[in-house]
Amino acid sequence: MATLLVACNGNDTVCRKEKTVLMGVALYKTTYNAATEKFTTTPTSEKLTVFGVDNDSVLYDGTAVSALALPLRVHADSTAFVLQRDTLGTDTLIIRHANDTNFISLECGCFVYHTITSVAATAHQIDSVVVEKETVQNVAENHLRLYYR
């Protein structure tokens, strides 16, 4: 009888890092100043409940946030989220993306990076969405700017 033992090569610092790459979304509020007849945008904090379409996992549960960290699907080219803004209304955010699998090692597996190709949203509470950075490789970055009315 043969026994096979497999272990990491000792330098497993990459293996211990989080492998889920999240898309950063910064929240802004657009307001119109009648006196100056100009629109202004400012960072905002909103009470949001966020969950994925076709996924019952709640990512944010009525929490006041100024930014979101959202996972994109690794086996599909689009991901959709429902964003419920306190009691004001619900919008759907749809991100189309290309996926790029990056092999690390047999022990560590791989990371899936994404390239945002387009973004759309319903306009119940959302004024607009702007792609700030197309390549999603780092959790600490903002990739989208979401503007609320």
Side-chain angles (χ1 to χ4, degrees):
M1 180 168 157
T3 302
L4 177 65
L5 298 174
V6 178
C8 281
N9 60 13
N11 184 5
D12 63 346
T13 56
V14 173
C15 290
R16 294 180 187 210
K17 289 183 181 178
E18 179 62 44
K19 290 190 183 100
T20 303
V21 177
L22 302 175
M23 177 185 63
V25 181
L27 305 179
Y28 289 83
K29 184 162 181 109
T30 302
T31 54
Y32 179 73
N33 185 331
T36 62
E37 297 182 349
K38 292 185 180 180
F39 286 95
T40 59
T41 58
T42 55
T44 188
S45 180
E46 299 288 340
K47 280 188 169 183
L48 292 176
T49 299
V50 180
F51 56 91
V53 173
D54 297 331
N55 185 339
D56 60 356
S57 296
V58 176
L59 302 170
Y60 294 88
D61 190 12
T63 310
V65 293
S66 59
L68 303 171
L70 301 175
L72 297 176
R73 292 183 174 179
V74 297
H75 299 295
D77 62 357
S78 69
T79 306
F81 298 96
V82 174
L83 291 83
Q84 183 174 351
R85 186 178 176 204
D86 203 10
T87 59
L88 298 174
T90 300
D91 281 292
T92 302
L93 176 66
I94 303 164
I95 300 97
R96 299 203 189 288
H97 52 86
N99 302 318
D100 181 27
T101 304
N102 293 282
F103 179 73
I104 303 300
S105 69
L106 287 175
E107 296 89 3
C108 299
C110 61
F111 288 91
V112 178
Y113 297 136
H114 311 279
T115 302
I116 299 170
T117 56
S118 68
V119 177
T122 57
H124 303 287
Q125 294 294 309
I126 295 175
D127 179 64
S128 60
V129 181
V130 175
V131 177
E132 192 171 336
K133 183 168 174 135
E134 293 177 343
T135 306
V136 181
Q137 294 181 343
N138 188 341
V139 171
E141 297 176 327
N142 285 326
H143 303 92
L144 300 181
R145 286 183 176 220
L146 191 142
Y147 295 92
Y148 276 106
R149 294 188 178 101

